[in-house]
Amino acid sequence: MVQMEKEGDDKKEKTGEDAVHLRREIGLLPAVCFIIGTVVGSGIFIAPKGVLMNSGSVGLSLLVWALCGVLSLFGALCYAELGTTFTKSGGHYTYLLETLGPLPAFLRLWVEFIFIRPAVASYVSLAFGRYVVEPFFAPCVAPTVLIKLVSVLGLTFVVAINCWSVTMASRTQVTLTFVKTFALVLIIIPGIIALAKGKTENFQNGFEVDSLTLDKLPLAFYNGLYAYGGWFYLNFVTEEVINPNRNIPLAIICSMVAVTFLYVLVNVAYYTMMTPAELLLSDAVAVTFANRALQGLASVIPILVALSCLGALNGGFFGSPRMLFVGAREGHWPPIFSMIHIRRHTPLPAVLLLYPLVVLMLITGEIYQLINFASFARWFFIALATLGMLIHRYRFPLHPRPFKVPLVIAVTFTVVCFFIVGLSLYSDPWNTGRSCALTLTGVPVYYVTVYRFRLPHRWRHIFDYCSKQLQILLEVAQQEVQTY
């Protein structure tokens, strides 16, 4: 009897400590750093040009930055409700699956890994490469090949960390978040000092609307919202957050208020030191600003911005593979991608799948087209997820919701998202059309993937053999402990 109890205790100990599963290791500080570190990337250092170009004036561009912050906070609050209502990881995919059904969820998974994540990651990687390489060639133009090579090296470093250890990726994120916050403060302080001394000429006649056209305004919002993008990444790792009912809403609110405040002040600092024309001519706004306002520290800014980009890249690679992991666990993707490394406890196959896709887009893509191309699908599915939340509230009013966002916020966010998405069909039909077409290619893939048992026996045999060999090669296994 004693022997049997001992064996039972050993089994319990193995289940808790040695079993293959994703562990709850993300507390409140890492959660806040995870969101801020993913949101504050290349966007605030590159997107001001796109916002100003499409809004037409200094005052309107600042208004766009503030409204994008408020809209992102509204969306983040909706996702705080979704994250505490549905305790699975997976973010957008999980919420669409639970509220609107499997096909919309699969299409979100499909577009995430076919072009949204590769496009966003390649954009951030290129920004990292540009800020590392350009200072060595100033005032000449840096070689494009070298920028892309350094971008690939930065990308490889981030992928290696996320394959190696969840704890290491989390600690890297916390460290890089403090670095990038320091970079923003370093930009804000001289701008505020100059403003206090009366340097306000660039803000006079700030709301001239002569150059504003309705078709360009959604593109201004896309650039601004891109810079705020990342507030939903904590929802991708819900199963790894300690006390998610408390920490998810708290982390989301704290981080988004802080980011909005910092972003508006950074843009005010830019306009204090640079005219709108100078800002539009600059491909690296933060470097131009540093040369003007921080001559003694001008060489430090590109390093800080490059580290900021690396933090955003790390956050994306930490969060996005969890969506693929959950999708495979639900049977919407090959089972190999729902497996975890037996010693490192990282979703290795899901992380590795992204790497070649990002490298391919990084080599072939153009930086501003990538934003517009990815933004349509991203915001369309975010709008669908919050619409699904409203439908779920109506259909299941008694379902437990530890955090509940006010109805007016949820409705406002959903309507504005659909409006921006609809208007982008008019303002950029080419990129929006391509994005639509690529999304719809997922429909036949959905039926082949979900109903793969109907495929010819020989095909299934080849597929199973390849999966088994990959499993052995990567040393991965299915999760042994339910974490939701």
Side-chain angles (χ1 to χ4, degrees):
M1 187 67 155
V2 174
Q3 182 67 26
M4 285 176 70
E5 284 178 5
K6 189 177 178 183
E7 284 175 7
D9 290 341
D10 289 344
K11 189 174 180 182
K12 281 180 188 174
E13 191 179 332
K14 180 183 185 296
T15 302
E17 296 299 324
D18 303 325
V20 178
H21 69 285
L22 297 175
R23 285 150 170 74
R24 290 194 183 274
E25 296 177 338
I26 303 172
L28 181 59
L29 178 63
V32 171
C33 290
F34 181 57
I35 298 171
I36 294 177
T38 310
V39 172
V40 182
S42 60
I44 188 60
F45 306 111
I46 293 175
K49 177 179 175 178
V51 173
L52 179 61
M53 190 191 306
N54 292 296
S55 62
S57 69
V58 170
L60 271 175
S61 71
L62 290 174
L63 187 61
V64 167
W65 279 105
L67 288 174
C68 285
V70 172
L71 190 63
S72 298
L73 177 60
F74 282 7
L77 290 171
C78 292
Y79 268 58
E81 177 176 327
L82 286 163
T84 52
T85 304
F86 307 109
T87 55
K88 293 179 185 177
S89 293
H92 318 297
Y93 166 81
T94 297
Y95 309 143
L96 288 167
L97 181 67
E98 296 287 346
T99 60
L100 297 180
L103 182 57
F106 178 85
L107 290 178
R108 182 63 185 83
L109 195 65
W110 174 252
V111 297
E112 177 74 16
F113 288 89
I114 293 302
F115 64 94
I116 291 179
R117 178 50 33 199
V120 172
S122 59
Y123 178 95
V124 179
S125 302
L126 283 169
F128 167 78
R130 177 170 286 171
Y131 275 98
V132 168
V133 171
E134 282 188 348
F136 293 101
F137 289 87
C140 301
V141 178
T144 305
V145 174
L146 187 59
I147 289 174
K148 291 190 174 183
L149 179 63
V150 172
S151 301
V152 171
L153 289 175
L155 175 69
T156 306
F157 169 73
V158 166
V159 170
I161 284 177
N162 280 277
C163 288
W164 189 260
S165 163
V166 171
T167 305
M168 188 187 289
S170 180
R171 285 175 182 168
T172 302
Q173 193 68 3
V174 171
T175 306
L176 292 174
T177 298
F178 282 108
V179 169
K180 64 180 66 181
T181 306
F182 174 69
L184 294 183
V185 171
L186 204 60
I187 290 169
I188 289 167
I189 289 171
I192 298 300
I193 291 170
L195 202 62
K197 288 179 179 177
K199 194 171 170 55
T200 59
E201 57 268 22
N202 293 335
F203 297 97
Q204 290 164 11
N205 302 319
F207 283 93
E208 292 174 344
V209 292
D210 298 341
S211 55
L212 173 67
T213 54
L214 191 61
D215 63 325
K216 285 188 175 181
L217 200 56
L219 301 182
F221 274 94
Y222 270 171
N223 279 274
L225 288 169
Y226 170 77
Y228 284 99
W231 46 262
F232 41 74
Y233 277 113
L234 188 64
N235 296 71
F236 287 12
V237 295
T238 304
E239 292 168 35
E240 295 164 72
V241 176
I242 299 164
N243 190 6
N245 287 350
R246 171 185 175 269
N247 287 340
I248 287 178
L250 206 54
I252 282 172
I253 293 165
C254 292
S255 55
M256 289 315 299
V257 170
V259 168
T260 304
F261 184 68
L262 288 169
Y263 273 16
V264 173
L265 287 180
V266 165
N267 277 279
V268 168
Y270 284 155
Y271 290 124
T272 306
M273 292 295 182
M274 301 162 66
T275 65
E278 287 170 335
L279 192 142
L280 289 172
L281 286 170
S282 174
D283 282 328
V285 179
V287 173
T288 309
F289 175 88
N291 291 333
R292 190 73 55 84
L294 299 161
Q295 277 138 13
L297 295 168
S299 59
V300 176
I301 288 291
I303 297 167
L304 294 176
V305 176
L307 290 173
S308 179
C309 294
L310 210 61
L313 201 60
N314 183 61
F317 267 88
F318 189 84
S320 275
R322 269 64 174 180
M323 188 196 289
L324 189 67
F325 170 83
V326 174
R329 194 172 67 188
E330 296 287 342
H332 286 171
W333 208 257
I336 182 73
F337 296 105
S338 65
M339 295 186 185
I340 300 166
H341 195 276
I342 55 175
R343 290 187 303 280
R344 310 216 165 273
H345 307 291
T346 57
L348 189 70
V351 176
L352 287 178
L353 174 67
L354 274 173
Y355 183 64
L357 296 174
V358 177
V359 170
L360 182 67
M361 196 167 281
L362 192 152
I363 292 168
T364 59
E366 197 281 320
I367 203 160
Y368 278 104
Q369 283 185 350
L370 290 175
I371 296 183
N372 299 340
F373 185 53
S375 289
F376 168 78
R378 171 182 267 185
W379 285 97
F380 175 68
F381 281 106
I382 287 173
L384 274 186
T386 54
L387 177 65
M389 181 188 81
L390 292 169
I391 293 168
H392 191 269
R393 265 197 199 184
Y394 177 75
R395 291 177 61 202
F396 305 103
L398 300 178
H399 192 285
R401 291 177 174 83
F403 178 86
K404 196 170 182 180
V405 71
L407 185 64
V408 66
I409 289 179
V411 171
T412 302
F413 178 76
T414 306
V415 169
V416 171
C417 280
F418 275 121
F419 177 73
I420 292 173
V421 165
L423 213 53
S424 71
L425 285 163
Y426 169 69
S427 54
D428 191 4
W430 169 241
N431 277 317
T432 306
R434 284 198 302 162
S435 188
C436 263
L438 268 174
T439 302
L440 292 174
T441 59
V443 175
V445 179
Y446 167 77
Y447 287 103
V448 169
T449 306
V450 174
Y451 299 105
R452 55 180 173 268
F453 57 87
R454 294 182 182 174
L455 291 172
H457 177 73
R458 184 174 178 78
W459 290 15
R460 279 184 286 147
H461 178 72
I462 294 169
F463 177 80
D464 291 342
Y465 175 78
C466 292
S467 294
K468 188 177 178 182
Q469 295 307 310
L470 263 177
Q471 185 180 350
I472 294 166
L473 177 68
L474 298 174
E475 297 184 308
V476 292
Q478 290 288 356
Q479 189 165 312
E480 293 175 344
V481 177
Q482 186 168 316
T483 53
Y484 57 92

